[in-house]
Structures are given as C-alpha cells and as structure tokens.
Amino acid sequence: MGYLSCNAESAIATCDPYNWDLKRKPRTGTKPNKPFKVRHFFYDELVVATNGFSAESFLGKGSHGSVYKAVLDNGKLIAAVKKTKLLIPTTSNFHNHNSGCTNCTSCTSPAENEIEILSRVQNPRLVNLIGFGSDSKDTKLIVVEYMPNGSLFDLLHSTSRPPAWTRRVRFALQVAKAVQALHSSNPPVIHRDIKSSNVLIDQDWNARLGDFGLALRGHVEDVRVKCTPPAGTLGYLDPGYLAPGDLSAKSDVFSFGILLLEIISGRNAIDLNYSPPSVVDWAVPIIKRGDFAGICDRRVGPPADPVVMRQLAVLAARCVRSTAEKRPAMTEVVECLKVVRKMVQAPPIWNNFRRRVRCVDDTRPLIGHQEIYDGSEEVVKVTRVSSRRNRKVSSVPGVEYGTRGLISGDRVGRSKSIGSFDEITKVGPDCSQIPVGERKTRAGVTVKMAAVNSKLIKSRSMSVLHSPRLVHNKKRFVFEFGRRAAADDSDLEERGMSKLVISLDEKSEKEMLEKPLVSI
Ligand SMILES: Nc1ncnc2c1ncn2[C@@H]1O[C@H](COP(=O)(O)OP(=O)(O)OP(=O)(O)O)[C@@H](O)[C@H]1O
C-alpha cells in the first residue's frame, strides 16, 4: 500500500488507495471525513520506546500480534504499539486471488486495514491512531493511544471487583456512542468485531472501542464491502451474516447486543459452563418469560430500580433479533441507554416520579426509544384515588395506542409495551405474559391492545398532578428533585417539556422523598 515507504504526510495522502472518496458521488448533508495527521515512527524509535519489545512492556497478545507499552517523546507520550506480521500473499488468504480481486480486506493485512481506517476516523470513544512504523521486512507497527485500565472483558470477568450497574450502563452507552460514530461517519465504518476484549478502558475509566483490523469503511454497495468475506468473532457474529452481501451496520448492532448481554449477565458470549453455552440462546428465553432479573450478574445482583434491568434486557434482546432490519439503529440504542443511564444514576423514588410525569406529558415529541421505554407491559387505565393504599387498576380493553403512545380518556393513562419483538411477548409488571391483540380505532388506525392478565394487580399511579397531596403555596418543589436526583432541566428540554414546578406541603414532600409511591 502507498504508505509503506513514505513519511507521515504522504502516508495520509495514500490512505485511500482505491480512491473511494473520489469515485463516490457526494452524499447530501455530510462531508467525507478528512484524514488527520498520523505520525510515522522509525522502527528503531519504537524498539527503544518498548525497551526492545521486552516482557516488561508486553501488554497482551491478540490473534494478529502482540501489544507493547511504549514511552515516547522523552516520556511525554505513553502509547501502545501493536506489532504484527504483514500478510504474506498465499492462495488461501487471497480468497479471490484467481478472479483478480484486490479490493477486499482479506487482501490487506489487519494492520494495514486498521491504519487506513483509523487515519480517517477519530473520536474520543475510540482507541485512536497516533502513528505507525515498520521494519525493513514484514513487521508492521501500529501506534495507538494507551489504555491503562485493561479491557472490558477483564473487568467483567475478573472475579475480584465486578463493576456496579452505574458503571456497566456507562460503559454500554460509551461503546454504543463509539459504534454510532462509526456508522454515521462518511463513508460509514462497520467495525465487524465488537466484543468486550476490544473495548479498552482509558485513564479516566471511560470505555473506548479499539481493534479495527476487520473493520470495513464504505457504503454497503461499494465493491470493497461487497466482496469482503464475512469475518468476526464466534459468539458475537451476526448469524445472518453468511455472505459478503449480507453485511450491514445491523451486524454491528447484533454484536453490540451480545456485548450488552455480557455486560448485564457477567457471563461470556460463549460459556460452556452454561446450558445453552451461547449467551443469546440462554438469555433471550429468560427475557421472553419476563424474568429480567434472571439474566443479571449474580455477583452484583439486580439494580435498585427494576425498570433499569428491564430496559437493558429488552434493548439487548432487540439488538440480537434474528431479522437484521428489525434491530434498532445505533442512534436508537444510544438514546435508550441515555434514558437508562439517568435512571440508574437517580434513586428509584425519582424514577417513579419521573415516569409518572412522563406519562402526564403527552405533548412531547416521539423519540427513538419510545418503543422500548413505553413499550413493555400493561395497558391499563389507572385511577388514583387520594392515597397509595387506595390505588385502583382497571383493565380497559378499549384503551388505544396512537402512533405516539397511549391515548386515554381525560384521566392520565399510561402505556408500556415491549415493542414489536418477533419473538418476545408482552409482559406485565409482575412479569406475567399478556396476550396481545389488535383493534381498529375510530380513525381506522390499527392499534395494539392487551387483555390484562388476571395476575396484573399492581398499578402505576399516573395522576401525580391531580393528587390532593400537591398543596400549593407551602413550598415550591421542582419535580426534578434538584440535588437528590442530580438531574437538570436539560432532561426536560430534551423531551420537549418546559420546566415543571409543582408545590407540595412539607409533609408530602417528605413522604414523597422517603417512600416510593409506586412499586414496580
Ligand atoms: N491500546 C492499548 N492499550 C493498552 N493495552 C492494549 C491496547 N491494545 C491492546 N491492548 C492489550 O493487548 C491485548 C491484545 O490486544 P489485541 O487487540 O491485539 O487482541 P484482542 O482484541 O485481545 O484479540 P483479537 O486479536 O483476537 O481481537 C488486549 O487484550 C489488551 O490487554
């Protein structure tokens, strides 16, 4: 490839050896990613920096080579150096050699591929490229940002201190943002090897996605994408990705779903100690039963707010759907995880309250995670009568879903449905399954409705704003619970709501803060 014997500047210029960017018609709205400065290191420089690739500098070994810690620029720059052998052309690794194909990633080494892609894509959520070097023979050296806190795989599967839920959700969101950034770059990048050992933890304990050896940069219709044979890691690989033409960004969504199941359960993608050994075959039937806590990592137990567990489990199950088109896009995954992050950070009382207010506000715009957030369980009309003890639930077969969620009568109603899983049935808050039917509204729109299972006995109060406990003029009380929930108004603004101030007398405020009004 062009950059093998040139300095950094010309390396950048030749990092698009097939002139994809020139051949491609510009897409409206997005500018192609510009290459940025990539340093060229002399081999000897990297030998010194890694202390001769010594055992003390050794960080780990992957399928494509070994990784060493390097101290560069007189100690000012700590980096990781991946030392790999260049691909020696053979008929077996040039899959299409006889037919003259020279464009696919199997015809370039993972190291070359990684340099080419990372020299175009840079993001704080990725393990970014610093530079590269090579010896006079066949060794390629990739210099990337050093991640001092190991991999997510080590964190999840090390027995000592498994991460708590707040951290797990944060990691999941950070990886989702990394994948989203790749998918939305121009042209898009499909990583093809999302897994916990490729998620590294930086000095600030943020998750970063690395290892772009198998990544593909280009639109699905591009010849390079179309002729590259399937690749990935067993256990994370999209089962529908059997031929080059099957590849889409949704294959990454599948692998991310497996990673999310791994984060939730703390078990390996493939683990022979379980039956079935595949995490997806093990977890999805449990999620189908509505036993969301059944897949949580027993070492940490379920999160304080059960809705967090449900949201994560349902999201993971949606990502690993067998039909690629039915999987959510990474943008939706990110939006959903943002909601879960807020929930996991806030005390359950706050979440209960927020959920109620969310239902009150039916004017907010439909956002991506609605299907997940509001899509999980009962369709009931809840009548709140003065106190928690007097909560009544009535199943109302005629309650209708509009395109934006539940449309109820003049009382505030609330709908949650798991969304249109192909495999997953709707479940109630007591984890009972609810038969789902369809019905036409007066406007002729086909809507889903649920006949509420007889086991469905708990209600969610929706009528916060009608509560007689909200007494005016004693004490102004911003419903975000200010310091307690550590939430801010941007959360409201995000949902198209103006700041909502309600008033409570002191007794009510105390009660509200101390005891959850709703148990889910
Ligand atoms: N940037 C980095 N900073 C610190 N350690 C790293 C870095 N990159 C890799 N490592 C360490 O080196 C090990 C090997 O990494 P590498 O990416 O080569 O392989 P892998 O992801 O573990 O496996 P595979 O090559 O099969 O995907 C990792 O497990 C990690 O511990």
Side-chain angles (χ1 to χ4, degrees):
M1 292 175 79
Y3 52 72
L4 289 182
S5 59
C6 55
N7 63 26
E9 300 302 321
S10 58
I12 297 162
T14 55
C15 274
D16 187 14
Y18 312 108
N19 291 328
W20 305 117
D21 296 337
L22 292 178
K23 285 177 199 159
R24 188 171 304 112
K25 281 186 212 143
R27 306 227 159 182
T28 45
T30 47
K31 283 187 189 159
N33 300 108
K34 287 255 164 63
F36 43 83
K37 280 205 170 184
V38 178
R39 285 174 68 176
H40 179 256
F41 294 95
F42 292 107
Y43 182 75
D44 291 346
E45 206 180 342
L46 295 177
V47 171
V48 173
T50 57
N51 207 4
F53 300 107
S54 66
E56 297 78 57
S57 308
F58 179 75
L59 292 171
K61 192 169 170 54
S63 49
H64 302 125
S66 300
V67 185
Y68 298 85
K69 183 175 174 179
V71 182
L72 292 152
D73 300 348
N74 298 321
K76 286 187 204 127
L77 175 65
I78 311 286
V81 178
K82 288 188 183 188
K83 191 178 180 210
T84 63
K85 292 273 177 215
L86 281 177
L87 198 74
I88 309 295
T90 64
T91 42
S92 62
N93 61 27
F94 273 54
H95 81 287
N96 219 355
H97 197 57
N98 294 336
S99 62
C101 170
T102 54
N103 282 346
C104 67
T105 51
S106 62
C107 301
T108 58
S109 75
E112 290 170 313
N113 192 55
E114 183 153 15
I115 295 168
E116 190 186 321
I117 287 180
L118 283 180
S119 64
R120 292 279 179 173
V121 186
Q122 212 174 30
N123 188 284
R125 298 270 75 86
L126 303 178
V127 180
N128 292 299
L129 182 70
I130 297 171
F132 63 89
S134 53
D135 71 355
S136 51
K137 292 184 219 145
D138 57 356
T139 303
K140 193 86 196 156
L141 300 153
I142 312 175
V143 184
V144 294
E145 292 173 315
Y146 172 61
M147 301 289 123
N149 289 309
S151 70
L152 183 56
F153 180 91
D154 302 332
L155 279 189
L156 287 174
H157 305 295
S158 72
T159 46
S160 53
R161 284 188 65 197
W165 285 104
T166 318
R167 187 162 274 181
R168 283 175 201 240
V169 172
R170 218 173 110 244
F171 287 153
L173 177 58
Q174 288 169 339
V175 180
K177 282 182 177 173
V179 185
Q180 183 198 21
L182 295 177
H183 290 181
S184 57
S185 63
N186 185 19
V189 173
I190 302 178
H191 188 280
R192 297 204 303 165
D193 204 14
I194 296 165
K195 57 178 176 178
S196 56
S197 67
N198 283 342
V199 175
L200 300 176
I201 312 297
D202 70 14
Q203 70 278 10
D204 300 320
W205 290 91
N206 291 314
R208 311 264 210 113
L209 183 61
D211 200 345
F212 285 72
L214 297 180
L216 278 175
R217 180 169 171 265
H219 297 280
V220 279
E221 65 270 18
D222 287 348
V223 61
R224 184 174 205 185
V225 176
K226 267 164 60 180
C227 87
T228 302
T233 299
L234 211 65
Y236 295 85
L237 199 57
D238 174 5
Y241 179 30
L242 300 170
D246 299 327
L247 182 69
S248 76
K250 296 292 177 82
S251 295
D252 275 355
V253 175
F254 182 91
S255 308
F256 178 82
I258 300 288
L259 175 68
L260 191 55
L261 288 174
E262 196 179 341
I263 291 174
I264 296 168
S265 67
R267 59 155 286 186
N268 280 301
I270 293 184
D271 190 337
L272 295 174
N273 295 318
Y274 286 80
S275 178
S278 147
V279 72
V280 66
D281 294 344
W282 168 81
V284 169
I286 300 175
I287 299 170
K288 268 188 188 178
R289 289 202 300 270
D291 178 15
F292 304 116
I295 63 160
C296 87
D297 189 339
R298 290 203 197 121
R299 295 169 302 167
V300 290
D305 185 345
V307 181
V308 168
M309 192 65 220
R310 184 183 62 199
Q311 301 287 57
L312 288 174
V314 169
L315 179 62
R318 293 183 66 216
C319 290
V320 298
R321 279 167 165 167
S322 43
T323 313
E325 296 76 41
K326 289 183 178 172
R327 295 172 200 150
M330 282 316 293
T331 315
E332 189 184 341
V333 173
V334 167
E335 288 308 309
C336 180
L337 285 169
K338 279 184 186 169
V339 173
V340 179
R341 184 189 53 184
K342 277 184 181 152
M343 293 168 89
V344 83
Q345 283 170 346
I349 162 100
W350 156 242
N351 290 331
N352 291 336
F353 193 66
R354 175 153 50 182
R355 279 193 283 275
R356 280 184 240 157
V357 176
R358 198 178 284 262
C359 295
V360 167
D361 185 299
D362 200 34
T363 58
R364 69 202 159 94
L366 177 66
I367 53 173
H369 59 262
Q370 182 99 6
E371 187 193 3
I372 306 163
Y373 198 91
D374 286 353
S376 49
E377 73 293 267
E378 82 278 33
V379 178
V380 291
K381 187 169 180 178
V382 179
T383 307
R384 173 79 192 255
V385 184
S386 76
S387 82
R388 245 181 309 149
R389 282 179 214 95
N390 287 337
R391 245 174 266 151
K392 284 184 188 168
V393 181
S394 59
S395 79
V396 183
V399 173
E400 297 166 359
Y401 282 90
T403 48
R404 294 181 55 250
L406 184 75
I407 303 162
S408 70
D410 34 28
R411 281 291 186 142
V412 178
R414 165 177 163 168
S415 109
K416 290 195 170 188
S417 73
I418 273 180
S420 53
F421 281 86
D422 24 11
E423 303 103 350
I424 296 171
T425 39
K426 309 222 172 213
V427 288
D430 59 347
C431 298
S432 57
Q433 292 184 5
I434 301 170
V436 177
E438 280 194 347
R439 144 182 205 278
K440 289 225 177 217
T441 65
R442 253 172 279 157
V445 182
T446 303
V447 294
K448 288 212 170 103
M449 46 173 269
V452 178
N453 189 305
S454 57
K455 280 160 76 189
L456 184 60
I457 46 166
K458 283 184 182 166
S459 75
R460 317 275 167 82
S461 171
M462 297 309 128
S463 309
V464 172
L465 298 182
H466 297 268
S467 168
R469 297 193 312 164
L470 306 182
V471 182
H472 285 273
N473 299 330
K474 276 269 180 163
K475 187 171 182 179
R476 279 165 63 81
F477 186 80
V478 180
F479 95 101
E480 288 283 342
F481 286 152
R483 66 202 179 281
R484 274 190 65 114
D488 59 28
D489 294 345
S490 62
D491 179 41
L492 286 173
E493 281 154 21
E494 244 173 53
R495 285 183 274 118
M497 294 163 69
S498 56
K499 189 170 177 175
L500 175 60
V501 179
I502 58 173
S503 299
L504 296 175
D505 63 334
E506 272 172 21
K507 189 165 159 276
S508 300
E509 180 192 339
K510 196 160 175 284
E511 189 184 347
M512 191 171 262
L513 288 171
E514 281 169 2
K515 295 179 209 159
L517 291 169
V518 180
S519 56
I520 299 163

